[in-house]
Amino acid sequence: MNGIILLTLLTIWSNVDCTPCSYSPSQWCTSVDSAIECGVLKQCLEANATMPNTQVQPVQVELYFESLCPGCRLFLTSQLFSTWTMLQDIMSVTLVPYGNAHESFDGKQYQFTCQHGEEECLGNMIETCILNATGSKAFQIVYCMEASTDVIKAGEKCVALYDPNTKWDSIMTCVKGDQGNQLMHQNAVKTGALKPAHDYVPWIVINGEHTDDLQKKAMSSLFTLICSMWKGPKPEACGAAPMKQHRSYCHDE
């Protein structure tokens, strides 16, 4: 819901009277009292009516990929991220960096071998630690890395850009330590449990299901697929009527 709430607040903020109030814009619609004090009750009530039905579950998209796979990088950067940017209110994304890797246990730690060599194993591990450490910023960071010429070298700058509160040293501590090793093992287990078993990447699972038809539709136009599978009121991006906007201004007195 974060995206539509932000859009709603920006719409309200740009169209209300300039009555001062004690609440920040992000709090205007959190209660009737705050909406009344800030002069936006009508706008908040109408905006709430346009929000997707929270009882309808978002379309769940899982991407099983590997950090240096050209096809994975293309799908993530040209289809998945752009679709999520426009439809994040009606979809959720789970990223699992592992792909066609293999693991073995040496008695102390898991050892991983990757399709595109040690650099890919490092990229997978960095992205796994980022996904674990940066929460809501993780997808933007992984996109930033995958869209860069050098996935590995871009990691530190992408973290600094999207989540400056997360220190790169903490990511590398995870990468080099037991935490990262266990997180990657979890990715291996999750990938190995796929039904049907994956035989290529990117491997796309929609609402817990993978079929050849869903894969083809997702690879062709993920945006169209998500809009067609969403069971709630269609958002404006999917062709719904635009939200009514109020025009109010701060006049020069």
Side-chain angles (χ1 to χ4, degrees), residues 12 15 37 44 56 65 68 76 85 100 110 121 123 143 147 162 174 194 207 241 250-251:
I12 292 171
N15 294 297
E37 180 180 332
C44 287
V56 179
F65 73 107
L68 300 187
L76 191 152
T85 299
N100 298 325
Y110 291 95
C121 281
Y143 163 77
Y162 286 103
C174 169
L194 285 168
N207 288 341
C250 296
H251 294 282

Side-chain angles (χ1 to χ4, degrees), residues 65 82 144 151 185 220 242:
F65 73 107
S82 58
C144 176
V151 174
H185 171 61
S220 175

Side-chain angles (χ1 to χ4, degrees), residues 98-168:
Y98 187 78
N100 298 325
H102 298 278
E103 72 169 359
S104 59
F105 188 66
D106 66 5
K108 294 183 178 180
Q109 285 190 326
Y110 291 95
Q111 302 296 325
F112 304 99
T113 56
C114 299
Q115 184 173 17
H116 299 94
E118 292 183 5
E119 282 288 289
E120 181 165 82
C121 281
L122 177 59
N124 290 348
M125 186 70 80
I126 291 173
E127 290 177 346
T128 295
C129 288
I130 286 171
L131 288 165
N132 181 68
T134 59
S136 62
K137 304 295 185 182
F139 192 11
Q140 291 101 314
I141 296 170
V142 172
Y143 163 77
C144 176
M145 292 176 63
E146 294 294 334
S148 300
T149 303
D150 191 315
V151 174
I152 310 299
K153 289 183 179 179
E156 184 172 4
K157 292 181 180 179
C158 291
V159 169
L161 176 63
Y162 286 103
D163 191 10
N165 291 326
T166 296
K167 303 303 180 185
W168 183 246

